[in-house]
Amino acid sequence: MAETARKIIIDTDPGQDDAVAILLALASPELAVLGITAVAGNVPLALTQLNARKICELAGRPDTIVHAGAERPLVRDLVTAEYVHGKSGLDGPDLPEPSMPLAEGHAVDFLVDTLMREAPGSVTLCALGPLTNIALALIREPRIAPRIGELVLMGGGFFEGGNTTPAAEFNIYVDPHAADVVLRAGIPTVMMPLDVTHQALTTAARVAAIRDLGTPVGAATAALLEFFERFDEEKYGTDGGPLHDPCVIAYLLNPRLFSGRHCNVAVETGSELTMGMTVVDWWRVTDRPPNAMVMRRIDHEGFFALLTERLARL
Ligand code: BDR
Ligand code: CA
């Protein structure tokens, strides 16, 4: 990794698309992954922390620090998504059990300690799952908020609606109270909602290009994507499924791939009907202050070209 590499922490619930995001980050010399913090989401924590380590080893980076975090959301019961990701969360390829250890200490302590130690503004948080760990860190030590350089999160949906309920996207739905804490914390935030990720489809040609890399990482990634996309292909009737979480890492590598609008996002935490809905004031019809750069468009050709080129480096 380069001397000037941007320091990031990846908070994640792998998940096939989380896995591809981790691979993209570890393949990119512009980024220095200070650590990975696992959270319960797609599958329970025992599996997400294990899966994060499997992916670090697949990338040839067993030196990566992986901490386990929250086992359940702040208020609500945990909702998982084995129906999308399979029982393991990483169904598809046959990845070996990791031999790298889980780092000692709780992910929330790691987040707080790292943000308090590193220079203010120098650490970027990449949130790929429910925001429980990040909310807990903010509650435990509010002084971290102004020290976070940027938070780039995959979550929410506005024009596209939800993917877990008609109103809510999975990551926000699982822990809406955490999302509410995070979006009110005054952190410079970039949000990658379904509006963007539904344009980033793992078409057969794109998966074939990744498999044709001819490397173990290429073969494993293609197998991950083929398992992952089957559910959404049937649901949406598309060639390929949305590749959500790697959009967060791609934004750090080339923000010009994305465009959106700086506006207010509020999270519904009261109504069971619309629980976890991200209410985006796209047209600025309220006086609620902007709190996130909400992305709406992606150069999906450029995104997959970048991803494939980076995976080839592993
Ligand atoms: C998000 O939910 C999870 O299933 C994916 O990993 C992604 O982070 C998409 O709604
Ligand atoms: Ca995820």
Side-chain angles (χ1 to χ4, degrees), residues 11-15 17-18 42 85 127-130 154 170-171 244-245:
D11 189 73
T12 177
D13 63 334
D17 60 324
D18 302 73
N42 289 320
H85 300 272
L128 313 180
M154 190 281 133
F170 181 79
N171 290 339
H244 309 283
D245 294 338

Side-chain angles (χ1 to χ4, degrees), residues 248-264:
V248 166
I249 307 298
Y251 172 77
L252 301 183
L253 299 171
N254 184 3
R256 287 187 303 275
L257 291 172
F258 302 89
S259 61
R261 190 174 285 189
H262 196 224
C263 49
N264 182 271

Side-chain angles (χ1 to χ4, degrees), residues 115-187:
L115 287 161
M116 293 307 287
R117 182 188 66 233
E118 297 288 338
S122 67
V123 177
T124 297
L125 297 187
C126 302
L128 313 180
L131 290 158
T132 319
N133 285 341
I134 297 174
L136 284 170
L138 287 162
I139 292 165
R140 160 112 194 274
E141 179 47 275
R143 287 180 300 166
I144 65 172
R147 302 178 72 92
I148 298 168
E150 194 170 29
L151 165 68
V152 188
L153 69 90
M154 190 281 133
F158 191 60
F159 298 97
E160 282 286 303
N163 62 356
T164 302
T165 73
E169 178 279 332
F170 181 79
N171 290 339
I172 309 295
Y173 178 74
V174 172
D175 200 340
H177 300 91
D180 184 49
V181 168
V182 170
L183 282 164
R184 289 176 189 271
I187 304 163

